[in-house]
Amino acid sequence: MCTYVTEKIELDGAGKGGSGWFTLSQGAVYVDHPYHACHEHTVNIDFTNPGEGPSARVAVELTEESALALVEAIQKALASAPPGLASGRR
């Protein structure tokens, strides 16, 4: 079942798409049918910069288990670094 719920966030970073590196400005996370992954539903994450057109997009389709493992890995990586080291507010 698709939830049709999309969590959108503002981003500050960079991603590499088919045309090379681009600045990321937005992200979206939702549970839906994947385009490519071999599962009925996945956690889909889109990293985008709408101002640079449709080619400025990196899409990820993960199983629920993989998405939760990714969240945990991000939290562990941030916890092991000095606070503020990767902050954009420096």
Side-chain angles (χ1 to χ4, degrees):
M1 175 181 106
C2 301
T3 65
Y4 301 106
V5 175
T6 300
E7 298 293 331
K8 294 183 179 183
I9 58 170
E10 296 290 320
L11 296 174
D12 182 4
K16 188 172 184 183
S19 301
W21 286 94
F22 62 95
T23 301
L24 297 177
S25 62
Q26 294 183 3
V29 181
Y30 52 97
V31 176
D32 202 345
H33 298 283
Y35 178 78
H36 187 75
C38 297
H39 300 283
E40 191 166 332
H41 292 90
T42 53
V43 177
N44 303 317
I45 306 169
D46 294 335
F47 301 98
T48 62
N49 185 334
E52 293 189 25
S55 65
R57 178 176 180 257
V58 175
V60 178
E61 300 171 341
L62 302 171
T63 62
E64 182 176 337
E65 296 82 4
S66 292
L68 291 170
L70 177 61
V71 168
E72 184 178 344
I74 291 170
Q75 290 173 330
K76 285 180 179 179
L78 288 171
S80 70
L85 183 65
S87 176
R89 296 187 194 127
R90 295 194 294 153

